[in-house]
Amino acid sequence: MADERTSLVPQAVSEGMEVDRERWRRAHGDVDSSEDPEWSLERVLEYVSKRTAWFHQVLFVLCVSAWLSDGMQPILASFLLLQLKDDWKIAEGQGAMIGSALFLGMLLGSTVWGVYADRKGRKAILYITVTIHTVCSLCMSFTNTIGGLLFWQALVGFGVGGNLPVVYSYYVEFSAREGRGFHLAMLASAWSVGEVFAAGISWMFMSSLGWRYVVRFTVVPGLLTYVLLPHLPETPHFLLVSGKKEEAFAVVKKMAAFNGMSLPLSLEGLKPLPAEVTREKGSVKELLSSPLMRQLTLLLWIMWFLGSVGLYGVIIFLPSYFQSRGISLFGGVYGAVFFSTLGNLPGIVAAAWILEQDWCGRKGAIAAFAIMCAFCTILMSGVSGSISLLITVTLAKFFVYGMWAAMDAYTPEAYPTTLRSTGNASASAMSRLAGLLTPPVDVALIKVDFNLALIVWAISFAVVGMCAWNLPIETQGNELKDRVEDEEAEDENMQFFERHSSAYSGPGSY
């Protein structure tokens, strides 16, 4: 059988099959080797991703459409707060409850759906979260009471809250390590695009059509999920840890065909994982079960909580801040908020580029962006004039979104497949908890002095930067792990520094 495989590969090449022998030798060794008929999943994904990755482009569009809804919700809550003060004459405290209801739902949603995604699969749970957001947003647009609005807002958050851990797990588990950080960071652009989309439709339609139509418009991007998701499979990493080796191999063959290529004929399948790995899937206690997991999880919880204190403070109370400063550019508050979002995408692109640079790594990128967030937030309190304020806010959002793009890329990479959605969801839950607590606390701070709130946000960003330096794992250039392997923490850090202390010789050098 081995001899047949060896003889068939040259024949396949001569017949025009897409087996790039010379490139494969440079990256992975001899294509014709009959000694290794089963490859690791990471090795296969690297091979499949060498050509124009049409599969990953479709996957990226799907994940962006699903995650847009997350980015829309916080800024939409801030606009609803302003609009309902006029329409329903609600008090300041009731307005703050709009944001709190959203984040309460997000907190519960991220916890529930993250665990179930590790146990039942990424694809099925993504269907559920998108459906909950779509249906409940439409129901919210028809409510006529503050109680009804808060109820549906919480359910919208329950659906949206599951999107982040599920979407990132879904995407990262189809990705090869080369360029993975760049694409994960660019996926964060969906959050920013969602914010820009919500700010744009509010600016254009809030005054003329009212808030109900604005809420209805927010379900449109998520509808693309129903078009694309039926044509995409479950992730091969999840299938492999579920003991479905043949199904995982079928998925990577489908990916190769989608990209217009064939797997080498010498390849018979994927290397299996130990059977006991299936018992760990979606286990919350595993997040704190070892020194490595404990340090990683606790630091990420702190980072996601405090990073969100600053993020949601800036986003939710930015319209009120502009209003208190009497900004009159671009037609007033809505226009100014919209143009301040133009710093979001450049910040994400900058972070995506830096994440792939040999001299930085994931941890260094997070720390650098976080410290600059702190500096720009403090600077906001000292500038005068509408133009200077708008420039400073735009610059602050550049670094805020760059920091979050780096954190969004790092978190799913750091956890093994058996805990990826659960770990990502637990960090996301800390973010939602911060969103739940931020509105009422910030309202109290702002009543004393808005600059006091700015100082709290700046300190939060600075602590994020310090925590990033102490993360136990550097994920740049490393393979995704499928199991908890505590003893590899030091080895992975050593691999990173050893790899980048020598001359980089291209993709095949890894």
Side-chain angles (χ1 to χ4, degrees), residues 222-397:
L223 297 179
L224 186 59
T225 305
Y226 296 107
V227 177
L228 297 178
L229 193 54
H231 303 288
L232 294 173
E234 182 56 79
T235 75
H237 274 282
F238 178 81
L239 292 172
L240 199 59
V241 301
S242 300
K244 301 176 181 179
K245 189 179 72 166
E246 291 77 14
E247 292 183 33
F249 188 51
V251 167
V252 295
K253 287 195 290 186
K254 180 178 180 179
M255 293 172 63
F258 203 109
N259 290 343
M261 62 195 304
S262 300
L263 295 175
L265 294 181
S266 60
L267 181 61
E268 293 183 345
L270 301 174
K271 291 182 178 179
L273 297 174
E276 64 268 17
V277 76
T278 59
R279 295 201 299 266
E280 302 173 357
K281 290 195 301 176
S283 174
V284 178
K285 67 179 182 179
E286 289 289 333
L287 296 178
L288 303 173
S289 63
S290 66
L292 170 64
M293 286 292 104
R294 193 156 45 246
Q295 182 182 359
L296 173 68
T297 299
L298 292 178
L299 284 175
L300 285 175
W301 284 356
I302 294 171
M303 292 167 62
W304 279 66
F305 180 86
L306 294 179
S308 297
V309 167
L311 172 69
Y312 290 134
V314 170
I315 290 177
I316 292 177
F317 291 96
L318 184 59
S320 299
Y321 187 52
F322 280 161
Q323 194 174 57
S324 68
R325 294 287 295 268
I327 194 167
S328 57
L329 296 174
F330 307 113
V333 172
Y334 291 139
V337 171
F338 175 76
F339 279 93
S340 73
T341 62
L342 299 181
N344 300 5
L345 188 57
I348 293 170
V349 173
W353 179 78
I354 290 174
L355 285 175
E356 291 300 319
Q357 302 310 302
D358 302 337
W359 45 265
C360 187
R362 313 290 200 247
K363 299 195 298 183
I366 297 171
F369 275 94
I371 295 302
M372 290 306 299
C373 288
F375 173 75
C376 291
T377 304
I378 287 293
L379 194 61
M380 285 169 58
S381 64
V383 297
S384 58
S386 296
I387 295 178
S388 298
L389 177 60
L390 186 56
I391 291 173
T392 304
V393 170
T394 304
L395 190 61
K397 297 184 82 172

Side-chain angles (χ1 to χ4, degrees), residues 69-84:
S69 54
D70 199 321
M72 287 188 283
Q73 297 307 319
I75 196 168
L76 183 63
S78 69
F79 288 145
L80 286 176
L81 189 154
L82 287 178
Q83 190 67 27
L84 292 178

Side-chain angles (χ1 to χ4, degrees), residues 145-286:
T145 65
I146 186 65
L149 186 139
L150 295 176
F151 172 78
W152 291 114
Q153 181 79 311
L155 288 181
V156 168
F158 185 68
V160 169
N163 283 353
L164 181 141
V166 178
V167 163
Y168 268 86
S169 295
Y170 194 61
Y171 188 84
V172 75
E173 290 175 6
F174 285 109
S175 304
R177 62 183 174 181
E178 183 184 340
R180 185 174 62 215
F182 177 86
H183 294 106
L184 285 173
M186 287 305 299
L187 184 56
S189 65
W191 212 95
S192 176
V193 171
E195 183 184 356
V196 173
F197 181 80
I201 60 176
S202 297
W203 182 27
M204 290 185 290
F205 301 118
M206 188 73 81
S207 299
S208 57
L209 298 180
W211 66 269
R212 299 179 189 275
Y213 281 94
V214 171
V215 170
R216 290 164 194 165
F217 288 149
T218 63
V219 307
V220 174
L223 297 179
L224 186 59
T225 305
Y226 296 107
V227 177
L228 297 178
L229 193 54
H231 303 288
L232 294 173
E234 182 56 79
T235 75
H237 274 282
F238 178 81
L239 292 172
L240 199 59
V241 301
S242 300
K244 301 176 181 179
K245 189 179 72 166
E246 291 77 14
E247 292 183 33
F249 188 51
V251 167
V252 295
K253 287 195 290 186
K254 180 178 180 179
M255 293 172 63
F258 203 109
N259 290 343
M261 62 195 304
S262 300
L263 295 175
L265 294 181
S266 60
L267 181 61
E268 293 183 345
L270 301 174
K271 291 182 178 179
L273 297 174
E276 64 268 17
V277 76
T278 59
R279 295 201 299 266
E280 302 173 357
K281 290 195 301 176
S283 174
V284 178
K285 67 179 182 179
E286 289 289 333

